[in-house]
Amino acid sequence: MASLLTDAKRIVVKVGSALVTNEGRGVDIKAIELWARQISELRRMGREVVLVSSGAIVEGMKRLGWTERPSRVCELQAAAAVGQMGIVQAYEEHFARHGIGTAQILLTHANLADREQYLNARMTLIELLSLGVVPVINENDTVVTEEIKVGDNDTLGALVTNLIEADVLVILTDQRGLYTADPRSNPEAKFVSDAVAGDPALEAMAGGAASKLSKGGMITKILAAKRAARSGAGTIIASGREENVLVRLATGEQIGTHLKPAASVLHARKQWIADHLRSSGKLVLDAGAVRALRDGHTSLLPVGVRSVEGEFVRGECVSCIDDEGREVARGLVSYSSDDAKRICRAHTEDIVRILGACDTPEMIHRDNLVVL
Protein backbone atom coordinates (compact mmCIF):
# COMPACT_ATOMS: atom_id res chain seq x y z
CA MET A 1 0.00 0.00 0.00
CA ALA A 2 1.31 3.46 -0.93
CA SER A 3 1.50 6.26 1.60
CA LEU A 4 -1.64 8.36 2.05
CA LEU A 5 0.64 11.38 1.77
CA THR A 6 1.86 10.56 -1.76
CA ASP A 7 -0.75 12.60 -3.62
CA ALA A 8 -1.87 14.90 -0.80
CA LYS A 9 -1.78 18.61 -1.64
CA ARG A 10 -2.99 20.11 1.65
CA ILE A 11 -1.63 18.57 4.85
CA VAL A 12 -2.14 19.14 8.57
CA VAL A 13 0.79 18.02 10.72
CA LYS A 14 0.26 17.67 14.47
CA VAL A 15 3.23 17.23 16.80
CA GLY A 16 2.81 16.22 20.44
CA SER A 17 4.15 17.65 23.68
CA ALA A 18 6.69 14.89 24.27
CA LEU A 19 8.27 15.59 20.87
CA VAL A 20 8.16 19.39 21.03
CA THR A 21 9.59 19.54 24.55
CA ASN A 22 11.97 16.55 24.51
CA GLU A 23 9.94 14.65 27.11
CA GLY A 24 9.35 17.76 29.21
CA ARG A 25 12.91 19.08 29.28
CA GLY A 26 12.01 22.24 27.35
CA VAL A 27 11.62 23.24 23.71
CA ASP A 28 13.55 20.73 21.59
CA ILE A 29 15.31 23.10 19.21
CA LYS A 30 16.90 20.30 17.23
CA ALA A 31 13.56 18.59 16.64
CA ILE A 32 11.88 21.83 15.58
CA GLU A 33 14.73 22.52 13.15
CA LEU A 34 14.23 19.08 11.60
CA TRP A 35 10.48 19.59 11.17
CA ALA A 36 11.05 23.04 9.66
CA ARG A 37 13.47 21.50 7.15
CA GLN A 38 11.06 18.69 6.27
CA ILE A 39 8.09 21.02 5.90
CA SER A 40 10.16 23.33 3.70
CA GLU A 41 10.88 20.29 1.51
CA LEU A 42 7.15 19.52 1.34
CA ARG A 43 6.58 23.11 0.29
CA ARG A 44 9.09 22.68 -2.55
CA MET A 45 7.05 19.64 -3.62
CA GLY A 46 4.04 21.93 -3.98
CA ARG A 47 2.29 20.90 -0.77
CA GLU A 48 0.47 23.25 1.61
CA VAL A 49 1.14 22.56 5.29
CA VAL A 50 -0.55 23.65 8.51
CA LEU A 51 1.22 22.79 11.77
CA VAL A 52 -0.71 22.02 14.98
CA SER A 53 1.76 22.09 17.84
CA SER A 54 1.40 21.05 21.46
CA GLY A 55 3.96 21.94 24.10
CA ALA A 56 3.07 25.41 25.42
CA ILE A 57 2.00 24.24 28.89
CA VAL A 58 4.91 21.82 29.22
CA GLU A 59 7.42 24.47 28.11
CA GLY A 60 5.85 26.93 30.56
CA MET A 61 6.18 24.36 33.37
CA LYS A 62 9.87 24.04 32.59
CA ARG A 63 10.40 27.80 32.56
CA LEU A 64 8.52 28.17 35.83
CA GLY A 65 10.41 25.31 37.47
CA TRP A 66 7.36 23.06 37.91
CA THR A 67 7.96 19.29 37.75
CA GLU A 68 4.31 18.15 37.69
CA ARG A 69 1.42 19.34 35.57
CA PRO A 70 -0.76 21.59 37.75
CA SER A 71 -4.46 20.97 38.23
CA ARG A 72 -5.70 24.52 38.84
CA VAL A 73 -6.96 26.25 35.70
CA CYS A 74 -5.21 29.52 36.50
CA GLU A 75 -1.87 27.72 36.83
CA LEU A 76 -2.37 25.91 33.52
CA GLN A 77 -3.25 29.19 31.84
CA ALA A 78 -0.18 30.89 33.32
CA ALA A 79 2.07 28.06 32.15
CA ALA A 80 0.57 28.25 28.65
CA ALA A 81 1.15 32.00 28.48
CA VAL A 82 4.79 31.63 29.49
CA GLY A 83 5.48 28.59 27.33
CA GLN A 84 3.83 29.91 24.18
CA MET A 85 6.57 32.52 23.91
CA GLY A 86 9.28 29.90 23.59
CA ILE A 87 7.30 27.68 21.20
CA VAL A 88 6.48 30.49 18.78
CA GLN A 89 9.99 31.94 18.86
CA ALA A 90 11.51 28.57 18.01
CA TYR A 91 9.20 27.92 15.06
CA GLU A 92 9.58 31.43 13.68
CA GLU A 93 13.37 31.31 13.86
CA HIS A 94 13.82 27.90 12.22
CA PHE A 95 11.24 28.33 9.46
CA ALA A 96 12.81 31.72 8.63
CA ARG A 97 16.10 29.93 7.93
CA HIS A 98 14.30 28.22 5.04
CA GLY A 99 12.72 31.45 3.82
CA ILE A 100 9.27 30.55 5.16
CA GLY A 101 7.06 32.88 7.14
CA THR A 102 4.93 31.62 10.02
CA ALA A 103 1.73 32.80 11.69
CA GLN A 104 0.38 31.97 15.12
CA ILE A 105 -3.29 30.98 15.36
CA LEU A 106 -4.82 30.32 18.80
CA LEU A 107 -8.27 28.72 18.81
CA THR A 108 -10.91 27.61 21.29
CA HIS A 109 -13.90 25.37 20.77
CA ALA A 110 -16.09 28.47 21.00
CA ASN A 111 -14.35 29.92 17.93
CA LEU A 112 -15.22 26.81 15.93
CA ALA A 113 -18.75 26.39 17.32
CA ASP A 114 -19.76 29.90 16.22
CA ARG A 115 -20.57 29.64 12.51
CA GLU A 116 -19.29 33.13 11.63
CA GLN A 117 -16.02 32.68 13.54
CA TYR A 118 -15.65 29.20 12.01
CA LEU A 119 -15.88 30.64 8.49
CA ASN A 120 -13.55 33.53 9.39
CA ALA A 121 -10.94 31.08 10.71
CA ARG A 122 -11.25 29.03 7.53
CA MET A 123 -10.78 32.06 5.28
CA THR A 124 -7.79 33.28 7.30
CA LEU A 125 -6.02 29.93 7.14
CA ILE A 126 -6.63 29.48 3.43
CA GLU A 127 -5.36 33.01 2.76
CA LEU A 128 -2.21 32.35 4.79
CA LEU A 129 -1.57 29.19 2.77
CA SER A 130 -2.02 31.10 -0.47
CA LEU A 131 0.59 33.59 0.76
CA GLY A 132 3.09 30.80 1.35
CA VAL A 133 2.91 31.08 5.15
CA VAL A 134 2.90 28.07 7.50
CA PRO A 135 0.21 28.60 10.16
CA VAL A 136 1.20 27.26 13.61
CA ILE A 137 -1.97 26.43 15.56
CA ASN A 138 -2.52 25.67 19.21
CA GLU A 139 -5.48 25.76 21.54
CA ASN A 140 -5.74 29.11 23.31
CA ASP A 141 -4.96 27.64 26.73
CA THR A 142 -4.40 31.07 28.27
CA VAL A 143 -8.12 31.88 28.20
CA VAL A 144 -9.83 28.54 27.63
CA THR A 145 -12.22 27.08 30.21
CA GLU A 146 -13.77 23.64 30.55
CA GLU A 147 -16.88 24.74 28.68
CA ILE A 148 -15.08 26.04 25.58
CA LYS A 149 -11.93 23.96 25.30
CA VAL A 150 -11.29 21.48 22.52
CA GLY A 151 -9.51 19.23 25.00
CA ASP A 152 -6.45 17.90 23.18
CA ASN A 153 -4.46 18.76 20.09
CA ASP A 154 -5.21 15.46 18.33
CA THR A 155 -8.84 16.58 18.25
CA LEU A 156 -7.79 20.10 17.30
CA GLY A 157 -5.75 18.70 14.42
CA ALA A 158 -8.81 16.83 13.12
CA LEU A 159 -11.03 19.90 13.45
CA VAL A 160 -8.49 21.99 11.52
CA THR A 161 -8.28 19.24 8.89
CA ASN A 162 -12.03 19.47 8.35
CA LEU A 163 -11.98 23.26 8.58
CA ILE A 164 -9.60 23.71 5.63
CA GLU A 165 -10.58 20.47 3.84
CA ALA A 166 -7.07 19.07 4.03
CA ASP A 167 -6.27 15.79 2.30
CA VAL A 168 -4.34 14.16 5.14
CA LEU A 169 -3.81 14.61 8.88
CA VAL A 170 -0.38 13.46 10.04
CA ILE A 171 -0.15 12.89 13.81
CA LEU A 172 3.47 12.70 14.91
CA THR A 173 3.88 11.02 18.27
CA ASP A 174 6.51 9.22 20.35
CA GLN A 175 5.01 5.86 19.34
CA ARG A 176 5.52 3.92 16.11
CA GLY A 177 1.76 3.86 15.49
CA LEU A 178 -1.22 1.74 16.50
CA TYR A 179 -0.93 -1.76 17.93
CA THR A 180 -3.68 -4.30 18.63
CA ALA A 181 -2.79 -3.89 22.33
CA ASP A 182 -0.30 -1.93 24.42
CA PRO A 183 3.10 -3.32 23.30
CA ARG A 184 4.69 -2.15 26.55
CA SER A 185 2.66 -4.67 28.54
CA ASN A 186 1.55 -7.24 25.96
CA PRO A 187 4.26 -9.04 23.97
CA GLU A 188 1.57 -10.48 21.69
CA ALA A 189 0.56 -7.02 20.42
CA LYS A 190 0.71 -6.70 16.65
CA PHE A 191 1.38 -3.53 14.69
CA VAL A 192 -1.49 -2.14 12.60
CA SER A 193 -0.09 -0.73 9.34
CA ASP A 194 -3.41 0.23 7.75
CA ALA A 195 -7.13 0.22 8.54
CA VAL A 196 -10.30 2.21 7.91
CA ALA A 197 -10.90 5.24 10.12
CA GLY A 198 -14.00 4.85 12.25
CA ASP A 199 -13.76 1.06 12.55
CA PRO A 200 -15.04 0.36 16.11
CA ALA A 201 -12.31 -2.27 16.55
CA LEU A 202 -9.68 0.48 16.48
CA GLU A 203 -11.10 2.15 19.58
CA ALA A 204 -10.97 -1.15 21.43
CA MET A 205 -7.26 -1.45 20.60
CA ALA A 206 -6.31 2.03 21.86
CA GLY A 207 -5.24 2.62 25.46
CA GLY A 208 -5.18 5.65 27.73
CA ALA A 209 -2.79 8.60 27.94
CA ALA A 210 0.70 7.73 26.78
CA SER A 211 2.58 9.81 29.35
CA LYS A 212 2.10 12.22 32.24
CA LEU A 213 2.93 15.08 29.86
CA SER A 214 0.08 14.43 27.43
CA LYS A 215 -3.68 14.78 27.75
CA GLY A 216 -4.45 12.23 25.06
CA GLY A 217 -2.93 8.95 24.09
CA MET A 218 -3.70 6.58 21.23
CA ILE A 219 -7.46 6.75 21.78
CA THR A 220 -7.57 10.47 21.01
CA LYS A 221 -5.63 9.81 17.80
CA ILE A 222 -8.08 7.11 16.72
CA LEU A 223 -11.02 9.42 17.41
CA ALA A 224 -9.24 12.26 15.59
CA ALA A 225 -8.87 10.03 12.52
CA LYS A 226 -12.59 9.28 12.71
CA ARG A 227 -13.36 13.01 12.74
CA ALA A 228 -10.95 13.80 9.91
CA ALA A 229 -12.49 11.06 7.77
CA ARG A 230 -15.82 12.90 7.77
CA SER A 231 -14.34 15.41 5.33
CA GLY A 232 -12.64 12.67 3.30
CA ALA A 233 -9.19 13.05 4.87
CA GLY A 234 -6.94 10.14 5.71
CA THR A 235 -4.84 10.05 8.88
CA ILE A 236 -1.30 8.84 9.46
CA ILE A 237 -0.08 8.10 12.99
CA ALA A 238 3.71 7.84 13.00
CA SER A 239 6.77 8.41 15.13
CA GLY A 240 8.08 11.94 15.04
CA ARG A 241 11.52 10.54 15.82
CA GLU A 242 11.60 8.55 12.57
CA GLU A 243 14.31 10.09 10.37
CA ASN A 244 12.94 12.44 7.69
CA VAL A 245 9.49 10.99 8.30
CA LEU A 246 7.41 13.64 6.51
CA VAL A 247 9.47 13.66 3.33
CA ARG A 248 9.61 9.86 3.19
CA LEU A 249 5.85 9.68 3.60
CA ALA A 250 5.37 12.25 0.85
CA THR A 251 7.55 10.25 -1.53
CA GLY A 252 5.45 7.11 -1.05
CA GLU A 253 7.01 5.21 1.83
CA GLN A 254 4.50 3.71 4.24
CA ILE A 255 5.56 4.56 7.78
CA GLY A 256 3.33 4.24 10.83
CA THR A 257 -0.38 3.47 10.79
CA HIS A 258 -2.44 4.69 7.84
CA LEU A 259 -6.17 5.12 8.45
CA LYS A 260 -8.14 5.54 5.25
CA PRO A 261 -11.45 7.42 5.16
CA ALA A 262 -14.66 5.57 4.37
CA ALA A 263 -16.36 6.27 1.07
CA SER A 264 -18.94 8.76 2.37
CA VAL A 265 -17.98 12.39 2.97
CA LEU A 266 -20.10 14.87 4.90
CA HIS A 267 -21.14 18.21 3.47
CA ALA A 268 -19.18 21.05 5.11
CA ARG A 269 -22.18 22.25 7.13
CA LYS A 270 -22.82 18.75 8.46
CA GLN A 271 -19.16 18.44 9.41
CA TRP A 272 -19.63 21.59 11.46
CA ILE A 273 -22.69 20.11 13.18
CA ALA A 274 -20.98 16.77 13.84
CA ASP A 275 -17.65 18.00 15.11
CA HIS A 276 -17.78 21.64 16.18
CA LEU A 277 -21.00 21.96 18.16
CA ARG A 278 -21.53 20.86 21.75
CA SER A 279 -24.67 18.87 22.49
CA SER A 280 -27.16 20.73 24.70
CA GLY A 281 -29.42 17.76 25.39
CA LYS A 282 -30.46 14.27 24.33
CA LEU A 283 -33.33 12.65 22.48
CA VAL A 284 -33.79 8.96 23.34
CA LEU A 285 -34.99 7.14 20.21
CA ASP A 286 -36.88 3.89 19.78
CA ALA A 287 -35.41 1.08 17.68
CA GLY A 288 -37.52 1.98 14.65
CA ALA A 289 -36.28 5.57 14.60
CA VAL A 290 -32.67 4.40 14.92
CA ARG A 291 -33.10 2.10 11.92
CA ALA A 292 -34.80 4.84 9.91
CA LEU A 293 -31.93 7.28 10.53
CA ARG A 294 -29.19 4.76 9.80
CA ASP A 295 -30.74 2.99 6.84
CA GLY A 296 -33.14 5.50 5.35
CA HIS A 297 -31.32 8.79 5.95
CA THR A 298 -34.65 10.29 6.97
CA SER A 299 -35.63 13.20 9.16
CA LEU A 300 -36.34 12.47 12.81
CA LEU A 301 -40.04 12.65 13.60
CA PRO A 302 -41.49 13.14 17.10
CA VAL A 303 -43.16 9.71 17.01
CA GLY A 304 -39.73 8.04 17.15
CA VAL A 305 -38.58 9.94 20.26
CA ARG A 306 -39.18 8.05 23.49
CA SER A 307 -37.97 10.71 25.93
CA VAL A 308 -36.08 14.01 26.21
CA GLU A 309 -33.13 14.79 28.47
CA GLY A 310 -31.65 18.18 29.30
CA GLU A 311 -32.76 21.70 28.52
CA PHE A 312 -32.33 23.35 25.13
CA VAL A 313 -33.89 25.93 22.87
CA ARG A 314 -34.92 25.59 19.25
CA GLY A 315 -31.95 25.47 16.90
CA GLU A 316 -29.46 24.08 19.42
CA CYS A 317 -27.50 20.90 18.81
CA VAL A 318 -28.80 17.76 20.52
CA SER A 319 -27.64 14.14 20.56
CA CYS A 320 -29.85 11.27 19.43
CA ILE A 321 -29.17 8.17 21.49
CA ASP A 322 -30.45 4.60 21.46
CA ASP A 323 -31.76 2.55 24.39
CA GLU A 324 -28.20 1.68 25.45
CA GLY A 325 -27.05 5.30 25.58
CA ARG A 326 -25.01 5.19 22.36
CA GLU A 327 -25.05 8.35 20.27
CA VAL A 328 -26.33 7.44 16.81
CA ALA A 329 -26.86 10.95 15.40
CA ARG A 330 -26.87 14.60 16.28
CA GLY A 331 -28.50 17.66 14.80
CA LEU A 332 -30.15 21.05 15.17
CA VAL A 333 -33.47 20.50 16.92
CA SER A 334 -36.66 22.15 15.67
CA TYR A 335 -38.33 22.40 19.08
CA SER A 336 -37.34 23.53 22.57
CA SER A 337 -36.91 20.89 25.25
CA ASP A 338 -40.26 21.83 26.80
CA ASP A 339 -42.14 21.43 23.53
CA ALA A 340 -40.15 18.33 22.59
CA LYS A 341 -41.22 16.63 25.81
CA ARG A 342 -44.84 17.41 25.03
CA ILE A 343 -44.81 15.99 21.49
CA CYS A 344 -42.45 13.01 21.83
CA ARG A 345 -44.21 9.80 20.68
CA ALA A 346 -46.81 11.99 18.90
CA HIS A 347 -47.80 11.57 15.26
CA THR A 348 -47.43 14.54 12.94
CA GLU A 349 -51.17 15.24 12.79
CA ASP A 350 -51.27 15.52 16.61
CA ILE A 351 -48.65 18.29 16.94
CA VAL A 352 -51.11 21.13 16.29
CA ARG A 353 -53.52 19.73 18.85
CA ILE A 354 -50.78 19.45 21.49
CA LEU A 355 -48.88 22.70 20.85
CA GLY A 356 -51.55 24.81 19.13
CA ALA A 357 -49.36 25.21 16.05
CA CYS A 358 -46.96 23.20 13.91
CA ASP A 359 -44.09 25.10 12.30
CA THR A 360 -42.42 21.90 11.12
CA PRO A 361 -43.39 18.22 11.42
CA GLU A 362 -39.78 17.12 12.04
CA MET A 363 -38.08 17.02 15.41
CA ILE A 364 -34.83 17.34 13.43
CA HIS A 365 -34.89 17.84 9.66
CA ARG A 366 -32.53 15.58 7.72
CA ASP A 367 -30.68 18.63 6.35
CA ASN A 368 -29.74 19.48 9.94
CA LEU A 369 -29.04 15.88 11.00
CA VAL A 370 -25.80 13.89 10.97
CA VAL A 371 -25.80 10.13 11.46
CA LEU A 372 -22.64 9.10 13.33
Side-chain angles (χ1 to χ4, degrees), residues 167-346:
D167 300 303
V168 176
L169 167 64
V170 181
I171 300 178
L172 296 181
T173 180
D174 54 358
Q175 305 293 318
R176 180 187 173 195
L178 176 66
Y179 287 81
T180 55
D182 189 341
R184 295 168 295 185
S185 58
N186 187 344
E188 301 298 320
K190 296 180 180 179
F191 184 71
V192 179
S193 59
D194 60 88
V196 176
D199 183 344
L202 298 178
E203 296 178 32
M205 296 176 190
S211 75
K212 64 181 180 180
L213 298 176
S214 66
K215 291 183 288 183
M218 197 55 66
I219 186 62
T220 64
K221 294 164 179 55
I222 297 302
L223 295 177
K226 183 178 180 179
R227 287 178 184 269
R230 290 178 184 149
S231 62
T235 297
I236 300 172
I237 305 170
S239 172
R241 298 193 174 98
E242 188 79 35
E243 184 178 359
N244 214 25
V245 59
L246 295 176
V247 176
R248 288 163 61 196
L249 284 167
T251 54
E253 190 172 343
Q254 183 168 352
I255 304 169
T257 299
H258 291 231
L259 301 177
K260 299 173 291 185
S264 59
V265 176
L266 290 180
H267 182 274
R269 185 169 180 273
K270 290 199 173 185
Q271 291 173 31
W272 175 68
I273 293 172
D275 290 321
H276 298 281
L277 298 184
R278 294 284 173 89
S279 175
S280 299
K282 296 178 181 178
L283 304 178
V284 182
L285 311 188
D286 62 27
V290 172
R291 283 195 301 271
L293 294 186
R294 284 179 169 164
D295 301 335
H297 305 288
T298 63
S299 297
L300 176 64
L301 300 178
V303 69
V305 180
R306 296 180 58 232
S307 61
V308 177
E309 299 178 9
E311 296 184 3
F312 47 84
V313 298
R314 179 180 181 180
E316 285 194 307
C317 182
V318 297
S319 297
C320 302
I321 63 174
D322 63 15
D323 284 334
E324 298 182 13
R326 294 172 298 198
E327 187 177 28
V328 297
R330 60 171 46 200
L332 306 182
V333 69
S334 301
Y335 291 91
S336 69
S337 53
D338 288 341
D339 287 344
K341 290 174 183 176
R342 295 172 64 190
I343 63 173
C344 66
R345 307 301 288 168

Side-chain angles (χ1 to χ4, degrees), residues 107-111 139 143-151 278:
L107 296 173
T108 67
H109 191 281
N111 299 139
E139 185 159 15
V143 300
V144 76
T145 61
E146 185 68 31
E147 290 75 19
I148 64 172
K149 71 180 181 180
V150 173
R278 294 284 173 89

Side-chain angles (χ1 to χ4, degrees), residues 8-294:
K9 298 300 181 183
R10 182 173 290 171
I11 304 161
V12 175
V13 177
K14 182 266 178 180
V15 289
S17 294
L19 295 174
V20 176
T21 64
N22 192 17
E23 302 292 348
R25 299 181 183 91
V27 175
D28 191 334
I29 298 299
K30 182 178 180 181
I32 287 178
E33 193 283 325
L34 291 174
W35 294 325
R37 177 177 55 77
Q38 291 181 64
I39 290 173
S40 69
E41 183 62 29
L42 294 184
R43 293 286 309 282
R44 283 192 286 272
M45 295 178 182
R47 320 297 180 93
E48 296 177 335
V49 182
V50 171
L51 185 62
V52 176
S53 176
S54 301
I57 290 178
V58 177
E59 168 63 10
M61 288 166 53
K62 182 255 183 181
R63 292 187 171 206
L64 292 168
W66 299 348
T67 57
E68 293 187 5
R69 188 183 180 92
S71 57
R72 292 199 304 156
V73 171
C74 60
E75 291 176 318
L76 289 168
Q77 292 172 332
V82 172
Q84 196 66 39
M85 298 295 291
I87 298 288
V88 170
Q89 182 181 16
Y91 281 123
E92 181 180 34
E93 176 183 345
H94 289 283
F95 274 103
R97 293 180 182 179
H98 298 277
I100 298 175
T102 54
Q104 182 186 39
I105 306 289
L106 297 175
L107 296 173
T108 67
H109 191 281
N111 299 139
L112 300 175
D114 180 274
R115 186 65 175 165
E116 183 176 357
Q117 292 184 49
Y118 173 91
L119 295 173
N120 286 341
R122 171 183 165 82
M123 289 186 291
T124 298
L125 286 167
I126 291 175
E127 180 64 21
L128 288 169
L129 292 173
S130 73
L131 294 171
V133 173
V134 172
V136 180
I137 301 178
N138 193 5
E139 185 159 15
N140 194 355
D141 289 314
T142 58
V143 300
V144 76
T145 61
E146 185 68 31
E147 290 75 19
I148 64 172
K149 71 180 181 180
V150 173
D152 63 84
N153 276 357
D154 294 324
T155 300
L156 181 60
L159 297 180
V160 171
T161 299
N162 293 344
L163 178 68
I164 63 172
E165 296 178 321
D167 300 303
V168 176
L169 167 64
V170 181
I171 300 178
L172 296 181
T173 180
D174 54 358
Q175 305 293 318
R176 180 187 173 195
L178 176 66
Y179 287 81
T180 55
D182 189 341
R184 295 168 295 185
S185 58
N186 187 344
E188 301 298 320
K190 296 180 180 179
F191 184 71
V192 179
S193 59
D194 60 88
V196 176
D199 183 344
L202 298 178
E203 296 178 32
M205 296 176 190
S211 75
K212 64 181 180 180
L213 298 176
S214 66
K215 291 183 288 183
M218 197 55 66
I219 186 62
T220 64
K221 294 164 179 55
I222 297 302
L223 295 177
K226 183 178 180 179
R227 287 178 184 269
R230 290 178 184 149
S231 62
T235 297
I236 300 172
I237 305 170
S239 172
R241 298 193 174 98
E242 188 79 35
E243 184 178 359
N244 214 25
V245 59
L246 295 176
V247 176
R248 288 163 61 196
L249 284 167
T251 54
E253 190 172 343
Q254 183 168 352
I255 304 169
T257 299
H258 291 231
L259 301 177
K260 299 173 291 185
S264 59
V265 176
L266 290 180
H267 182 274
R269 185 169 180 273
K270 290 199 173 185
Q271 291 173 31
W272 175 68
I273 293 172
D275 290 321
H276 298 281
L277 298 184
R278 294 284 173 89
S279 175
S280 299
K282 296 178 181 178
L283 304 178
V284 182
L285 311 188
D286 62 27
V290 172
R291 283 195 301 271
L293 294 186
R294 284 179 169 164

